[in-house]
Amino acid sequence: MGNNSTHTEMELVSLLKSRDSNAFTYLYDHYSGALYSGILQIVEDAELGSDILQEVFINIWRKIDTYEPSRGRLYTWMLNIARNASIDVLRSKSFQNSKKNQSIPDNVDMLKAGSSLPDTDRIGIRKLLEQLKTDHRVLIELAYFKGYTQEEIAEIEGIPLGTVKTRIRAALTQLRTIIK
Amino acid sequence: MTTQEYISSGIIESYVLGLATEEERTAFEKMCDENEEVRLARDAFELSLEQKALQNAVSPPPNLRKQVLDKLENEKQPTRNISGKVQPKAPVKTLPTAVSGTKRTSYLAAASVTLLLVSVALNYYYFRQYKTYSDKYDALLVQNAEIVKNDASKQVRLDEYATAMQHLKDPGMAIIKMAAKGVASSPDPNSMATIYWDTRTKDVFLLLNNMPQPSTGKQYQLWAIVDGLPVDAGMVDMSAGLPVAEAFAVTLEDSGGSVNPHMDQLCVIGKVS
C-alpha cells in the first residue's frame, strides 16, 4: 500500500509541477480539510483560517517547483507552508491588535456560539497533546502552535535552553508513539 | 548513537513538524540520504501524521473551493505568455499603491490649499483688526493732545482763580458793595457791583455782580469818591492803585471814559465802611 500511494503521490506531484488544473482541484478536494484543520489549530478563527488556506494554495501553486519529494511527503511540505502562514498571521500586528480589541466576554460568546469554528482542542495534534505531560505539552504548544524558537521558549518559561531541548525531544518522541 | 537511538531521539518529529533548526535539518537530510532506516522511519511518521490529519479534517467553507481554484487559474495566465517568462506579481501590486500614492498626494494638496485659504482669511482678518486699532490709536493720540492743551489752559485759569481767591480771603481786603438802591438814574434797580480794595497795596478789584449790558458806544466807569469829589478809578476791566476813598460809584460813560462823571448816569454806589 505504501508503495502504491507513493507512486500515486509521485504522479500527482509531477502533474502539479506542470500546473495541471485537475491536479490542483484534486489536491484541494483531498487536502483542504486537513490543512484547514491544521491552520485553525493555530489561528482559531474560521474567517482568518479561510483567508490563510487560500493563501496557502496560491503558495503551493507558486512554490511547487521547490518541493523536493526526497525530503518528505507532499502533505508534510504543505502542512509546513500552512503552519508558517498561520504563525505569520498570529504574529502580525493587525492580528495582535484585533485580539487586544476583543473584550473577553465577547470572545467567550463567540466560542460558545461556535457556528463555523470547530472545537480545535479536539482535533489534530492538539488532541494528541492531551496525552502528554503538562510541562511537555506547554513546550509543544509554544514551539509548534505559537512558533517560538527554543531560545525564546527558554526565556518565556524561565528554564534552561538544554532542558527545553530535552523536553521537546521527549515530547515529540511520545507524540510519535501516540500517533502510531 | 545507534540508528535506533537516533530514530527515537525525536529528530524525525522535530524535522517533519518544522521545529528543527537549520543545522539539524541539514544533518537530518544527510542522514536520510545515507541511512535507509532513518528515511523509512521518517516516511512512516509522515504517513501516520497525514492519516491522522485526514481523519481530523475540517471542511473549509464550501464557497472557498471555487474562489481558490479561480485564483489558481488566474495564476496560470502569466506563465502562458509568449516569452514564457513568469511575470512577476509585483507590478500588479504596484498599481494600487501608485493610485493610493496619488490619492495621498491629492489629499495633501487639498489640505495645503485649505490651509492656505484659512491663512489668507486670517491674514485679512488680522490686517483689518490692525487697521481698526491703528486708526483708533491715532484718534486717541489727537484726543490726548487736545486734552493736554485744554488741561494747560484750564491750569492757567485755575491759577487765576486761585490768585483771586487768595485776594478775597485776604483779611486786609475791603469789600464794598455798590447797589442801585436809591439811585434814580440806574437803568436797573437790581444792579449791583462789588469793590475789593486791598488796603495795603491799594489795588482795586471790581466785580460786576449784576449789571445790564451797556448799549453800544457806552462803557461802565468806576469812580472813587475822595474828599467828596469823584476820582476816575478807571474803566471797568482796568484797575489802578487807589490810596484812599470814602465811596465807590459806577457810571455809564461814553466809550473811552470821561474826566468827570456824568452823575445823571450813576448806576451803582457804595460807601467804604
Side-chain angles (χ1 to χ4, degrees):
Chain A
M1 177 221 155
N3 206 12
N4 185 34
S5 80
T6 310
H7 185 70
T8 320
E9 184 160 306
M10 274 176 66
E11 282 176 358
L12 177 62
V13 168
S14 134
L15 286 170
L16 291 175
K17 290 203 178 196
S18 65
R19 304 298 198 290
D20 182 275
S21 295
N22 290 332
F24 274 93
T25 305
Y26 170 82
L27 192 75
Y28 185 89
D29 290 341
H30 196 62
Y31 286 110
S32 62
L35 292 174
Y36 187 54
S37 158
I39 291 164
L40 288 182
Q41 287 170 61
I42 295 170
V43 298
E44 298 179 336
D45 182 308
E47 203 181 322
L48 214 52
S50 303
D51 290 347
I52 295 170
L53 185 63
Q54 178 168 315
E55 189 194 316
V56 166
F57 271 96
I58 290 167
N59 274 330
I60 291 169
W61 173 282
R62 288 182 189 166
K63 292 181 182 171
I64 190 67
D65 286 330
T66 70
Y67 168 61
E68 191 69 61
S70 68
R71 295 292 169 234
R73 290 183 62 77
L74 178 64
Y75 169 74
T76 307
W77 181 74
M78 294 191 296
L79 179 64
N80 276 311
I81 290 177
R83 175 174 169 262
N84 289 337
S86 305
I87 287 170
D88 280 351
V89 168
L90 201 65
R91 293 191 161 188
S92 69
K93 252 199 172 129
S94 57
F95 182 81
Q96 297 286 344
N97 287 343
S98 77
K99 273 272 178 186
K100 269 178 214 158
N101 292 340
Q102 245 170 2
S103 67
I104 291 161
D106 281 357
N107 209 358
V108 167
D109 287 349
M110 230 180 66
L111 288 177
K112 268 186 191 160
S115 51
S116 58
L117 183 64
D119 187 352
T120 48
D121 284 346
R122 293 274 165 271
I123 58 170
I125 292 175
R126 272 193 189 273
K127 189 182 175 190
L128 303 174
L129 280 182
E130 281 176 27
Q131 300 173 47
L132 295 178
K133 286 201 295 184
T134 313
D135 53 350
H136 287 175
R137 187 162 64 215
V138 168
L139 298 188
I140 297 295
E141 173 75 35
L142 290 172
Y144 186 80
F145 294 106
K146 300 280 186 260
Y148 289 110
T149 65
Q150 299 189 343
E151 285 79 6
E152 287 168 332
I153 293 169
E155 202 170 308
I156 292 165
E157 292 292 298
I159 50 178
L161 181 59
T163 313
V164 174
K165 282 183 193 282
T166 317
R167 284 187 190 169
I168 286 180
R169 282 296 181 87
L172 289 173
T173 317
Q174 256 184 292
L175 207 61
R176 180 159 60 149
T177 39
I178 295 163
I179 289 176
K180 274 180 179 169
Chain B
M1 194 189 274
T2 66
T3 303
Q4 217 30 253
E5 277 168 350
Y6 184 75
I7 286 170
S8 41
S9 71
I11 181 64
I12 290 173
E13 296 76 13
S14 194
Y15 176 85
V16 168
L17 293 175
L19 300 179
T21 63
E22 199 52 48
E23 255 173 75
E24 289 170 333
R25 295 185 66 82
T26 316
F28 182 76
E29 282 170 6
K30 193 162 168 268
M31 202 64 164
C32 286
D33 291 342
E34 290 167 359
N35 195 322
E36 178 79 8
E37 222 178 314
V38 175
R39 197 171 55 77
L40 287 176
R42 185 202 69 194
D43 285 350
F45 177 67
E46 284 190 75
L47 198 60
S48 56
L49 188 69
E50 183 175 329
Q51 279 164 355
K52 278 278 175 194
L54 289 173
Q55 282 165 27
N56 289 303
V58 177
S59 298
N63 59 328
L64 194 68
R65 183 177 189 270
K66 188 180 185 306
Q67 212 174 310
V68 168
L69 295 177
D70 285 352
K71 276 259 165 78
L72 296 185
E73 279 304 311
N74 282 341
E75 287 283 315
K76 242 182 201 177
Q77 304 308 109
T79 64
R80 288 197 174 166
N81 65 7
I82 302 152
S83 70
K85 274 194 210 156
V86 176
Q87 294 267 323
K89 269 305 218 180
V92 185
K93 280 203 166 182
T94 49
L95 232 160
T97 3
V99 167
S100 78
T102 320
K103 227 174 184 180
R104 197 185 315 136
T105 314
S106 61
Y107 275 135
L108 283 174
S112 19
V113 167
T114 310
L115 282 174
L116 179 66
L117 288 178
V118 168
S119 169
V120 165
L122 281 175
N123 279 344
Y124 177 69
Y125 173 74
Y126 286 124
F127 178 72
R128 285 278 308 275
Q129 293 278 90
Y130 162 76
K131 263 305 261 182
T132 309
Y133 287 117
S134 175
D135 289 351
K136 283 183 177 175
Y137 174 74
D138 288 346
L140 281 176
L141 273 188
V142 170
Q143 211 174 326
N144 191 52
E146 216 155 290
I147 286 168
V148 167
K149 214 170 76 188
N150 280 352
D151 187 58
S153 71
K154 283 206 169 78
Q155 193 60 48
V156 169
R157 284 176 66 185
L158 191 64
D159 287 347
E160 279 172 16
Y161 284 128
T163 315
M165 210 42 204
Q166 202 68 43
H167 289 307
L168 297 183
K169 274 158 64 185
D170 198 324
M173 187 71 79
I175 301 168
I176 301 106
K177 281 206 159 83
M178 298 181 289
K181 206 177 174 189
V183 180
S185 57
S186 180
D188 184 349
N190 292 320
S191 295
M192 188 177 157
T194 310
I195 289 290
Y196 294 87
W197 185 27
D198 193 324
T199 49
R200 288 157 305 171
T201 63
K202 310 303 174 191
D203 284 343
V204 174
F205 301 92
L206 173 67
L207 174 67
L208 299 177
N209 299 87
N210 179 27
M211 298 292 280
Q213 186 70 29
S215 47
T216 324
K218 296 286 184 183
Q219 213 172 2
Y220 288 117
Q221 191 167 4
L222 178 66
W223 302 91
I225 313 298
V226 182
D227 296 329
L229 291 169
V231 176
D232 176 23
M235 306 307 294
V236 167
D237 75 12
M238 164 197 165
S239 62
L242 201 67
V244 64
E246 294 142 25
F248 287 94
V250 173
T251 58
L252 199 59
E253 304 291 343
D254 290 331
S255 273
S258 311
V259 179
N260 292 305
H262 293 83
M263 288 315 279
D264 56 332
Q265 293 295 315
L266 180 67
C267 299
V268 287
I269 187 161
K271 282 195 162 81
V272 176
S273 54

